[in-house]
Amino acid sequence: MTLFNSKNDSDLSLLDETLERYGDVPENLITVLQSAQEIYGYLPTDVIIRISQRMGVPITKIVGVATFYSQFRLTPIGKYLIMLCKGTACHVNGADGIYDAISSHLGINDNETTEDGLFTIKCVACLGCCSLSPVMMINDDTYGSLTPEKAINILDSISQKEGNA
Amino acid sequence: MKVVVGQGSCGIAAGAGKAFDILENKLNKNHELTFTGCIGMCYLEPIVDVYNNDELHRFVKVSGEIAEKIAEAVNNNDFSISAEYEIADDDKAFLSSQTRIALRHCGLINPEKIEDYIADNGYEAIKKCVTQMTPEEVIEIIKISGLAGRGGAGFPTWFKWNAARNSESEDKYLICNADEGDPGAFMDRAVIESDPHTLLEGMLIGAYAIGAKEAIVYVRAEYPLAVKRLKKAIKQAREAGFIGKNIFGTDFSCDFTIKAGAGAFVCGEETALIESLEGSRGMPRLKPPFPAQSGFLRKPSNINNVETFANVAWIINNGGEKFAAMGTETSKGTKVFALTGKVNKGGLVEIPMGKTLRDVIFGIGGGIRDGKEFKAVQMGGPSGGCIPAHLLDTVIDYKALSATGAIMGSGGMVVMDESTCMVGMAKFFLDFTAKESCGKCTHCRIGTKRMLEILTRITEGEGKPEDISLLEELCYSIKDGALCGLGQTAPNPVLTTLKYFRDEYTDHIENKHCTAHECSKLVKYKINADACRGCTACAGKCPTDAITGEVKKAHLIDRDKCIGCGTCMATCRFGAVEVE
Ligand SMILES: Cc1cc2nc3c(=O)[nH]c(=O)nc-3n(C[C@H](O)[C@H](O)[C@H](O)COP(=O)(O)O)c2cc1C
Ligand code: FES
């Protein structure tokens, strides 16, 4: 597995405001990484190096933290992030079937991105909407009471919208 | 009239936003349109409440069409045209059989308006504390109330506050654990999304009691709406002078920060949470020293769960005795549960301790969906265990629940029916804990992985006769050897399923058979040629193209291609797909 996407042309000035605000206190590392990921979509190598220099936190520690928490990504993701819930309630109500359906439909597994860069699948544990299980979230929208068919229709309508755009 | 749309995360996911937009467009401007958080009847979302003076009309499962009808009814003051969309009497009991303290405002007030909170005695309790009571007196009331930690362990709250109070230090921290890691539970999310000021007030009282000037809320990453509403609430409370310097003109000062978690179950454990707050990997620390002596930044800290804090202002306003009057000998007050799974009516349930599991699942929850058989309920998530049907009359009480091998937990109650494989369930939880183990101690890191391997081979029909005793041996050594609560409790789902559903294990191992038909490697599907109409629906759905046949002729499943997913069975409208 390649841990790094050794990118070195990120626009680091986008990070200035965050570092200005939180960069002086090493305890803020996670907050800074969250904000960086918000900006770049993932944590590019040059961004990690910049954070390390500014905050005085070793790169090894940053990578340690970034790989510990499931929220952080070291590689880019698709335009649409599918967060598929595999929490207990969703499991009991058939989340595995939804996963199989969307995974074979898109031809990718958990944590992978489609070749056209449109979709990334990420399995998570509980989105807090357990009563609507099984549930998935695509970017900011939550879809509940899924069936394999319904899930695929949702993906298709997104693909179509993108195709026409 | 006042029209209120329930807009918690699940309401929004069910389409409350659309209903709100339609109402906003269609309602005459003389009516007030507002929103509230989670009403708690998740199975009926989206919900719209119309208050016509004192009369409440509650509409459920509000689609766009129904929203238009409601607007029409309100505009014409004629509810006969919308009567059929109002909640059924049977469903009204879902709320009326509850006793709500922690959830007392949920679904009633607008969570983004501090005025709504203030109108119901809001911030009166903290005022009383700082202007009329010593911190010791506050702790005494909490002691009388018998309030115990709602985060899972059930440790007496007053005791922790007292220990933190007695630790000498200029700087102390009061921390709220809103990490809500149990996958399948959403009580804390609902409280924050629906009534954030209750949490803030409870925390202020805690901060006053222990002598902290800083309060921190550690919120789970997957809860963006909760973070948004909490931020707004803090801003409002600061502007109103309830947060900040010299609160109510006294020398008590306290400010708040929010930290978003980054997705790690172990960070719900208090010492790991502290590591995470400090910007590190969330690896638990050895205890002692306890956080009350050395916590965040090595200063005395006190950590409580959201629901624990949500009870505090009520207790101060109503007295410890009134809270202690509810419940059992060993468990006082009420408890909130997130009731989900195969139950008819899923949602948030707050009831006094001492009720039975049957009261919750069959009384309030309305029993099992689709007329199926109740099999077990999982309490306490990955740290807890399952409780089978013959123990449904167990009372909700810390001691009584622990005696079953499960735990009270933080409030997750996932109901399972006959179609859930219990070995599969144990495997599901071990898969979770093995992934979430932080890796610091060997027993947890390697032990959970070994257990997962064994459970996987059992569910795939490769189990060996000695696997059960090997699992048991691993369970006990992980319990004894693990550093933190994650590892110490990880074997519980295996131990309880072994205790109550041992037959299912042996059936998988000896007969390569899964009663629930859930373990795909052990299920063989076939098509009953007499029942098959040749509609081709199953062939179209089969993910591996294992089904062949001509239109209007009986179809056939290719054994070598079939992965046992069961899609064909779920698709067939004629009941022609059978399990061998
Ligand atoms: C693995 C693990 C996960 C935990 N997750 C949570 C959690 O998500 N929320 C919570 O309040 N407590 C959780 N706890 C319990 C906390 O360690 C702690 O006991 C609790 O926050 C104390 O608050 P209380 O006394 O008000 O319950 C967890 C414990 C363990 C061992
Ligand atoms: S278990 Fe899927 S949303 Fe909670």
Side-chain angles (χ1 to χ4, degrees):
Chain A
M1 185 175 79
T2 45
L3 209 51
F4 286 111
N5 173 294
S6 44
K7 194 164 152 42
N8 56 11
D9 58 357
S10 308
D11 180 357
L12 296 177
S13 68
L14 298 174
L15 205 57
D16 288 348
E17 199 188 316
T18 302
L19 288 174
E20 188 60 37
R21 191 150 163 218
Y22 300 109
D24 294 331
V25 184
E27 286 91 61
N28 286 338
L29 178 62
I30 292 173
T31 310
V32 170
L33 293 179
Q34 284 168 333
S35 161
Q37 182 158 293
E38 184 101 328
I39 297 171
Y40 302 101
Y42 71 109
L43 300 174
T45 312
D46 51 356
V47 168
I48 291 179
I49 294 170
R50 168 85 182 111
I51 293 172
S52 164
Q53 287 164 345
R54 172 64 175 75
M55 296 185 74
V57 177
I59 293 179
T60 45
K61 168 150 184 181
I62 299 185
V63 174
V65 168
T67 50
F68 184 85
Y69 295 98
S70 65
Q71 188 187 23
F72 297 119
R73 299 180 286 264
L74 297 172
T75 46
I77 49 159
K79 186 166 174 189
Y80 294 91
L81 177 64
I82 306 169
M83 290 207 275
L84 179 72
C85 180
K86 284 208 170 180
T88 318
C90 289
H91 170 77
V92 169
N93 282 322
D96 285 346
I98 311 294
Y99 173 79
D100 291 342
I102 61 174
S103 155
S104 66
H105 183 74
L106 296 174
I108 49 171
N109 294 314
D110 186 18
N111 280 319
E112 291 178 0
T113 302
T114 50
E115 256 172 42
D116 59 5
L118 213 49
F119 294 104
T120 301
I121 301 182
K122 187 170 155 58
C123 294
V124 298
C126 197
L127 295 164
C129 299
C130 321
S131 306
L132 301 172
S133 57
V135 180
M136 69 176 173
M137 209 167 155
I138 302 182
N139 292 348
D140 287 334
D141 296 318
T142 311
Y143 303 88
S145 312
L146 296 174
T147 58
E149 203 172 11
K150 201 167 149 191
I152 287 173
N153 285 343
I154 294 166
L155 299 185
D156 280 345
S157 67
I158 293 177
S159 303
Q160 248 162 35
K161 191 178 86 191
E162 288 295 326
N164 295 340
Chain B
M1 282 181 237
K2 185 169 165 182
V3 181
V4 186
V5 182
Q7 292 207 8
S9 286
C10 19
I12 294 173
K18 189 172 155 203
F20 190 91
D21 291 344
I22 291 175
L23 288 165
E24 194 167 36
N25 257 321
K26 298 274 157 107
L27 279 178
N28 293 343
K29 296 298 161 233
N30 55 332
H31 301 296
E32 181 190 351
L33 175 65
T34 175
F35 67 93
T36 184
C38 183
I39 295 165
M41 294 188 287
C42 309
Y43 70 108
L44 294 177
E45 293 284 1
I47 301 175
V48 174
D49 285 345
V50 178
Y51 292 89
N52 187 9
N53 295 322
D54 281 341
E55 195 181 86
L56 168 66
H57 295 273
R58 170 163 284 160
F59 298 93
V60 299
K61 297 193 176 172
V62 178
S63 61
E65 237 165 88
I66 300 180
E68 302 212 1
K69 279 269 193 273
I70 297 173
E72 200 183 323
V74 174
N75 289 338
N76 299 326
N77 194 6
D78 173 9
F79 287 93
S80 65
I81 54 173
S82 57
E84 61 182 298
Y85 310 114
E86 289 200 30
I87 185 169
D89 284 340
D90 176 46
D91 286 320
K92 284 183 187 162
F94 187 88
L95 282 188
S96 60
S97 358
Q98 301 191 25
T99 304
R100 290 192 155 187
I101 293 179
L103 302 178
R104 62 194 178 280
H105 296 133
C106 291
L108 297 175
I109 67 170
N110 182 329
E112 298 191 9
K113 275 195 175 157
I114 193 171
E115 303 82 15
D116 278 22
Y117 181 70
I118 292 174
D120 187 37
N121 268 333
Y123 291 104
E124 285 297 320
I126 179 64
K127 183 176 175 190
K128 185 167 159 194
C129 290
V130 296
T131 57
Q132 298 170 27
M133 295 164 75
T134 63
E136 287 75 13
E137 285 168 340
V138 174
I139 294 174
E140 185 58 27
I141 293 195
I142 299 298
K143 184 175 179 182
I144 292 168
S145 77
L147 177 64
R150 300 297 193 234
F155 203 73
T157 303
W158 77 271
F159 191 92
K160 292 193 351 186
W161 288 15
N162 201 41
R165 166 105 221 128
N166 291 335
S167 284
E168 295 286 337
S169 173
E170 251 311 290
D171 301 308
K172 295 185 191 177
Y173 295 93
L174 185 94
I175 300 167
C176 173
N177 187 344
D179 198 44
E180 191 145 79
D182 173 1
F186 52 91
M187 305 75 51
D188 296 348
R189 172 182 70 69
V191 169
I192 303 178
E193 284 180 0
S194 314
D195 190 14
H197 290 285
T198 289
L199 172 62
L200 297 183
E201 187 171 8
M203 289 181 70
L204 280 167
I205 295 167
Y208 176 69
I210 71 163
K213 289 194 287 279
E214 275 184 65
I216 305 169
V217 191
Y218 185 88
V219 192
R220 184 181 164 83
E222 287 88 348
Y223 289 175
L225 185 66
V227 173
K228 181 187 146 213
R229 291 198 176 148
L230 194 58
K231 272 190 184 154
K232 205 162 190 169
I234 290 175
K235 185 165 173 275
Q236 291 167 344
R238 195 177 283 134
E239 282 163 8
F242 302 136
I243 287 179
K245 292 227 175 329
N246 304 106
I247 296 167
F248 291 106
T250 65
D251 54 15
F252 172 60
S253 300
C254 183
D255 215 330
F256 277 71
T257 16
I258 300 178
K259 289 264 185 177
F265 173 64
V266 70
C267 289
E269 196 282 334
E270 52 188 13
T271 60
L273 187 152
I274 289 169
E275 286 288 321
S276 180
L277 283 177
E278 293 177 0
S280 303
R281 290 164 73 99
M283 298 209 173
R285 297 175 181 167
L286 259 182
K287 291 191 273 194
F290 290 95
Q293 283 88 43
S294 167
F296 181 51
L297 304 177
R298 310 280 156 180
K299 305 286 186 198
S301 307
N302 176 72
I303 300 171
N304 281 120
N305 167 262
V306 174
E307 189 188 331
T308 312
F309 283 123
N311 284 302
V312 169
W314 188 95
I315 292 172
I316 299 292
N317 284 330
N318 294 275
E321 291 82 0
K322 197 162 169 193
F323 191 81
M326 286 176 288
T328 63
E329 198 46 44
T330 49
S331 308
K332 303 297 185 192
T334 60
K335 179 76 195 83
V336 182
F337 293 99
L339 184 62
T340 61
K342 301 287 190 178
V343 69
N344 268 316
K345 304 176 183 178
L348 280 177
V349 177
E350 181 171 3
I351 37 133
M353 303 273 192
K355 294 260 185 190
T356 66
L357 293 173
R358 189 187 301 279
D359 291 336
V360 177
I361 299 167
F362 285 86
I364 296 177
I368 309 304
R369 265 189 228 162
D370 306 327
K372 289 201 178 150
E373 211 44 53
F374 170 84
K375 188 170 194 178
V377 57
Q378 179 76 19
M379 294 188 66
S383 309
C386 68
I387 302 178
H390 74 270
L391 294 178
L392 265 174
D393 291 311
T394 305
V395 291
I396 292 168
D397 168 283
Y398 286 98
K399 256 195 175 157
L401 288 167
S402 298
T404 67
I407 54 170
M408 172 85 75
S410 61
M413 234 192 224
V414 183
V415 176
M416 295 166 260
D417 68 12
E418 56 201 81
S419 66
T420 311
C421 169
M422 300 312 286
V423 187
M425 208 59 206
K427 179 185 133 199
F428 167 80
F429 283 118
L430 261 295
D431 180 54
F432 180 82
T433 34
K435 278 184 190 143
E436 294 293 337
S437 168
C438 78
K440 187 166 177 172
C441 68
T442 320
H443 278 85
C444 177
R445 182 181 67 240
I446 300 175
T448 53
K449 183 104 180 114
R450 288 290 96 83
M451 283 174 77
L452 175 62
E453 284 165 7
I454 298 169
L455 290 164
T456 306
R457 73 172 175 246
I458 297 177
T459 56
E460 292 183 348
E462 309 285 331
K464 303 174 193 157
E466 64 274 20
D467 276 349
I468 293 184
S469 56
L470 188 57
L471 272 177
E472 277 169 332
E473 191 188 322
L474 277 167
C475 285
Y476 292 112
S477 55
I478 296 171
K479 262 184 170 307
D480 290 341
L483 173 69
C484 86
L486 190 151
Q488 288 157 8
T489 59
N492 288 347
V494 178
L495 286 172
T496 49
T497 45
L498 272 173
K499 184 169 170 188
Y500 300 117
F501 299 96
R502 206 180 189 90
D503 297 356
E504 284 195 33
Y505 281 84
T506 42
D507 201 23
H508 278 75
I509 295 171
E510 286 166 16
N511 310 327
K512 316 289 174 211
H513 178 250
C514 171
T515 334
H517 301 322
E518 201 184 36
C519 295
S520 54
K521 290 242 166 99
L522 301 185
V523 193
K524 292 271 173 274
Y525 291 96
K526 66 164 191 203
I527 293 175
N528 177 342
D530 294 334
C532 178
R533 308 271 179 93
C535 74
T536 76
C538 58
K541 287 280 173 61
C542 176
T544 54
D545 293 327
I547 306 179
T548 48
E550 286 171 37
V551 185
K552 296 200 174 156
K553 290 200 180 133
H555 281 45
L556 209 64
I557 299 179
D558 180 343
R559 274 294 157 72
D560 295 334
K561 286 188 180 169
C562 174
I563 52 168
C565 68
T567 308
C568 48
M569 193 172 191
T571 307
C572 182
R573 284 176 291 134
F574 310 105
V577 181
E578 295 169 353
V579 176
E580 280 190 11

